[in-house]
């Protein structure tokens, strides 16, 4: 008899907990297992979510893994664990801190859920996806970073705000790394199939592109003590659902390139077909010269982080 679908979530902070809540409300899987160092907090959230699931007659149960050894036989594992950038912490400090956290988490996933598909949400996103791929030894199709759906949804929201109409009919497209060098693609963005350039001026489009690039920082500026979590969590849940339901839908996700777009051994956001086996197919869209240059800059930024990990001999350390 086949077992029900099981999703693990490592890191039960705002993003991880909201991913779990979203999946529980949808009844996307049989069981959600939360794993967090703050075990009592995770238990409280799991209990609260299980009761919310009962309220909407969802069959999903939410449990807690007190240790990674209890995160067993998961179909998908979402990783949101990581340290925020603390005062006085350099970019390299943050990179190494979160790379070490990711290494520990991925080691547990590879051991106890060896057939899982891993969705990385921890920042710096593209570099952590690269670390997860190398540390797990999994095929690249099974280690995917969440960023493109989030960045595209931000762009779509800004387009709707600017237009004042078209909600639910806007398809925005963003490629590249999850950072200031991301590559919003107005040419591939539409409102009910109408090209963006037919409904907005070039100045308006440029304003939207720039706002999209700094969409996360804008929210941090308002919140002061935290960062976005509703949109990141929902974007992650969309990926989990596409995998569990084997939808074969195309979503922008961060994957390790192996020759696509002319790049190898670097992670970047590109359109991929998501299904039961993870990123089952990478779609290569045609980029014009300006877009190619932006994509190159984005890949170069991620490569700098990978180079920094190599400089610190991160991958040479004893596992």
């Amino acid at each position: 008899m086949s077992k029900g679908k099981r999703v693990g979530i490592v890191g039960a902070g705002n993003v991880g907990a909201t991913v779990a809540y979203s999946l529980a409300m949808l009844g996307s899987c049989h069981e959600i297992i939360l794993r967090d160092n703050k075990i009592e907090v995770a238990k409280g959230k799991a209990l609260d979510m299980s009761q919310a699931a009962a309220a909407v007659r969802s069959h999903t149960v939410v449990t807690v893994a007190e240790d990674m050894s209890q995160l067993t036989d998961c179909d998908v594992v979402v990783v949101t664990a990581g340290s925020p950038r603390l005062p006085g912490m350099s970019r390299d400090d943050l990179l190494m801190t979160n790379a070490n956290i990711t290494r520990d988490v991925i080691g547990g996933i590879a051991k106890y859920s060896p057939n899982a598909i891993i969705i990385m949400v921890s920042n710096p996103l593209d570099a952590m996806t690269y670390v997860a791929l190398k540390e797990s030894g999994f095929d690249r199709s099974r280690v995917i970073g969440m960023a493109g759906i989030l960045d595209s949804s931000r762009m779509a929201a800004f387009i709707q705000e600017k237009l004042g109409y078209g909600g639910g009919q806007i398809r925005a497209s963003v490629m590249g790394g999850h950072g200031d060098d991301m590559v919003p693609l107005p040419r591939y963005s539409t409102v009910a199939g109408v090209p963006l350039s037919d409904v907005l001026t070039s100045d308006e489009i440029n304003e939207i592109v720039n706002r999209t690039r700094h969409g996360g920082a804008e929210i941090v500026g308002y919140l002061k003590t935290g960062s976005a979590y509703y949109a990141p969590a929902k974007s992650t849940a969309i990926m989990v659902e596409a995998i569990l339901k084997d939808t074969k839908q195309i979503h922008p996700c961060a994957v390790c390139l192996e020759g696509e777009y002319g790049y190898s051994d670097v992670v970047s956001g590109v359109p991929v077909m998501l299904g039961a086996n993870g990123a089952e197919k990478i779609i290569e869209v045609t980029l014009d010269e300006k877009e190619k240059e932006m994509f190159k800059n984005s890949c170069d930024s991620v490569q700098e982080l990978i180079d920094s990990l190599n400089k610190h001999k991160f991958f040479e350390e004893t596992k």
Side-chain angles (χ1 to χ4, degrees), residues 130-152:
Y130 185 86
V131 169
L133 177 67
K134 297 301 179 186
E135 293 298 313
S136 66
F138 288 3
D139 186 84
R140 65 164 176 163
S141 62
R142 291 171 53 209
V143 182
I144 317 164
M146 187 293 297
I149 296 175
L150 170 61
D151 295 329
S152 298

Side-chain angles (χ1 to χ4, degrees), residues 46-69:
L47 196 55
D48 197 8
M49 276 184 247
S50 289
Q51 292 163 5
V56 297
R57 306 289 192 268
S58 165
H59 68 281
T60 302
V61 293
V62 186
T63 61
V64 170
E66 296 193 20
D67 185 81
M68 284 299 286
S69 63

Side-chain angles (χ1 to χ4, degrees), residues 105-181:
V105 169
I106 296 301
I109 295 169
K111 184 174 182 180
Y112 298 109
S113 286
N115 298 312
I117 291 162
I118 298 171
I119 298 178
M120 293 300 300
V121 187
S122 310
N123 281 317
L125 187 282
D126 304 279
M128 292 307 102
T129 302
Y130 185 86
V131 169
L133 177 67
K134 297 301 179 186
E135 293 298 313
S136 66
F138 288 3
D139 186 84
R140 65 164 176 163
S141 62
R142 291 171 53 209
V143 182
I144 317 164
M146 187 293 297
I149 296 175
L150 170 61
D151 295 329
S152 298
S153 68
R154 284 176 171 160
M155 186 175 175
F158 296 146
I159 292 169
Q160 183 180 346
E161 186 180 313
K162 180 68 74 178
L163 283 174
Y165 61 82
Q169 297 179 304
I170 297 167
R171 298 290 178 268
S173 185
V174 179
M175 283 177 52
H178 184 54
D180 294 347
D181 293 313

Side-chain angles (χ1 to χ4, degrees), residues 85-94:
R85 189 164 173 174
L86 303 172
M89 187 182 266
S90 72
R91 192 180 178 207
D92 263 20
D93 290 340
L94 178 67

Side-chain angles (χ1 to χ4, degrees), residues 10-11 79-83 98 101-102 105 120 122-123:
V10 183
V79 180
T80 71
S83 170
N98 282 348
I101 291 170
T102 298
V105 169
M120 293 300 300
S122 310
N123 281 317

